[in-house]
């Protein structure tokens, strides 16, 4: 089975082709990486009905005790607001060129390799599960914890990302669980990512890290990481049940660079909703209170 275009405009929460999720939500990523109005308009047309401002009032009142099906539209709405804001931000040609290279390296090129591996020699029955979004979230996690990310050796970065992935898989096999639904689902997410079965993953992680560092060098940390985090949130088929995606991809964007782009009332409302919906966001990460 090869990549299907329906993956790029998927409205479900599974990825049914062997791209490892790297091309999931491709219609939105396409809108981020170009100044072509037709492509940008297509991405915005897809995002507009799903944005936070268009969600039902009841959806905005969901929280940690709501089911994942009840929360999904709200989190999707938050991500769509971030995507739309980033598409509309003024960009110079240099930034667009850098974003195009970044997206090619951490989405297109990786997806091609994923398809080869997962179609021909992937673990049985795991072709449709989350994979690459877990890696992107881990890269963002490492960026958040390492003060001089761009000047840290690739070997150190790869080792740390791989350690986080193994650690997350190991932890999820225990019987410990929190009340919130997203924590109860962690074992299922981990089974989708049996890292020992993907001995080729380290090389892809190294390529992705080099692309992220190159983007940081080209357009600065804040600009580059905005795109990396947004892409991580987009390609995840079900971020509601991936705590690390919420914590390291979605929350830092809403808590930082997008506060000045989005309307204050919208930002405050979305930030409050995320804090109420996900115990994964600790109070210590809150640097601003709406």
């Amino acid at each position: 089975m090869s990549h299907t275009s329906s993956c790029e405009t998927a409205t479900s929460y599974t990825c049914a082709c062997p791209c490892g999720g790297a091309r999931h939500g491709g219609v939105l990523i396409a809108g981020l990486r170009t100044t072509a109005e037709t492509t940008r308009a297509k991405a915005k047309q897809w995002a507009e009905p799903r944005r936070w401002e268009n969600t039902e009032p009841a959806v905005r009142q969901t929280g940690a005790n709501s089911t994942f099906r009840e929360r999904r539209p709200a989190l999707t709405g938050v991500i769509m607001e971030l995507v739309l804001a980033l598409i509309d931000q003024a960009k110079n040609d240099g930034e667009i060129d850098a974003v195009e290279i970044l997206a090619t390296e951490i989405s297109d090129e990786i997806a091609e390799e994923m398809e080869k591996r997962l179609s021909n020699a992937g673990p049985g029955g795991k072709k449709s599960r989350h994979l690459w979004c877990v890696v992107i979230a881990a890269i963002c996690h490492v960026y958040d914890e390492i003060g001089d990310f761009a000047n840290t050796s690739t070997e150190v970065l790869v080792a740390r990302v791989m350690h986080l992935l193994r650690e997350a898989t190991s932890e999820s096999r225990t019987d410990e669980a929190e009340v919130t639904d997203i924590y109860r689902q962690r074992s299922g997410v981990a089974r989708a990512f049996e890292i020992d079965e993907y001995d080729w993953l380290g090389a892809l992680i190294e390529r992705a890290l080099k692309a992220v560092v190159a983007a940081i060098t080209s357009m600065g940390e804040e600009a580059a990481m905005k795109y990396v985090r947004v892409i991580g949130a987009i390609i995840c088929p079900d971020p509601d049940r991936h705590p690390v995606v919420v914590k390291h991809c979605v929350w830092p964007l809403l808590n930082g660079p997008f506060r000045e782009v989005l309307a204050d009332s919208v930002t405050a409302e979305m930030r409050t909703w995320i804090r109420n919906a996900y115990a994964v966001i600790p109070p210590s990460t809150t640097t601003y209170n709406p």
Side-chain angles (χ1 to χ4, degrees):
M1 180 177 64
S2 60
H3 172 70
T4 59
S5 59
S6 60
C7 170
E8 299 173 25
T9 55
T11 56
S12 65
Y13 294 91
T14 57
C15 188
C17 79
C19 71
R23 284 200 177 113
H24 193 269
V27 66
L28 299 175
I29 296 174
L32 296 173
R33 63 198 291 183
T34 183
T35 55
E37 286 304 320
T38 301
T39 305
R40 285 155 53 91
K42 185 177 179 180
K44 289 194 283 189
Q45 182 180 20
W46 196 90
E48 183 67 31
R50 300 168 175 85
R51 67 187 300 181
W52 175 266
E53 287 192 342
N54 291 330
T55 58
E56 296 293 331
V59 170
R60 302 186 194 186
Q61 299 304 313
T62 54
N65 293 323
S66 304
T67 68
F68 62 90
R69 290 184 179 85
E70 291 169 331
R71 283 192 308 266
R72 276 171 175 171
L75 184 57
T76 298
V78 171
I79 295 171
M80 292 306 103
E81 290 290 344
L82 299 176
V83 170
L84 288 167
L86 192 50
I87 289 176
D88 285 336
Q89 279 187 350
K91 306 173 184 69
N92 57 43
D93 291 339
E95 181 174 330
I96 283 294
D97 291 342
V99 174
E100 171 60 25
I101 294 171
L102 176 67
T104 298
E105 289 293 325
I106 69 173
S107 179
D108 300 354
E109 297 295 332
I110 295 296
E112 289 183 11
E113 187 66 24
M114 290 277 191
E115 288 174 41
K116 292 177 186 176
R117 302 284 187 171
L118 297 179
S119 291
N120 301 325
K126 295 188 177 181
K127 297 173 186 176
S128 65
R129 299 185 179 182
H130 303 220
L131 180 59
W132 195 239
C133 55
V134 186
V135 174
I136 295 296
I139 289 174
C140 292
H141 185 171
V142 172
Y143 173 81
D144 291 337
E145 70 179 10
I146 293 182
D148 197 13
F149 183 91
N151 292 316
T152 302
S153 72
T154 304
E155 291 76 14
V156 170
L157 294 176
V158 171
R160 181 57 183 154
V161 169
M162 295 293 281
H163 174 76
L164 286 176
L165 298 178
R166 289 191 177 95
E167 188 179 61
T169 303
S170 175
E171 286 178 354
S172 66
R173 289 176 178 151
T174 69
D175 294 329
E176 296 179 4
E178 300 291 339
V179 176
T180 7
D181 179 68
I182 53 173
Y183 287 98
R184 289 203 303 270
Q185 296 293 335
R186 289 185 68 199
S187 60
V189 171
R191 284 196 297 273
F193 191 83
E194 297 288 354
I195 190 168
D196 293 337
E197 298 181 6
Y198 300 97
D199 55 359
W200 42 267
L201 193 59
L204 299 189
I205 291 173
E206 181 177 355
R207 284 173 53 183
L209 283 165
K210 287 180 177 178
V212 173
V213 170
I216 289 173
T217 302
S218 175
M219 57 179 160
E221 290 191 12
E222 182 175 297
M225 290 309 297
K226 276 194 296 189
Y227 287 99
V228 175
R229 294 189 205 272
V230 168
I231 290 173
I234 289 171
I235 67 175
C236 182
D238 194 356
D240 178 73
R241 290 193 284 183
H242 274 191
V244 291
V245 171
V246 175
K247 185 173 183 179
H248 296 290
C249 294
V250 180
W251 177 254
L253 294 172
L254 200 57
N255 193 45
F258 281 88
R259 285 219 314 262
E260 297 178 0
V261 177
L262 300 169
D264 289 343
S265 58
V266 174
T267 305
E269 195 174 53
M270 292 191 298
R271 283 167 47 81
T272 299
W273 178 80
I274 285 185
R275 287 202 302 272
N276 290 338
Y278 300 105
V280 73
I281 306 298
S284 61
T285 64
T286 304
T287 58
Y288 168 82
N289 289 309

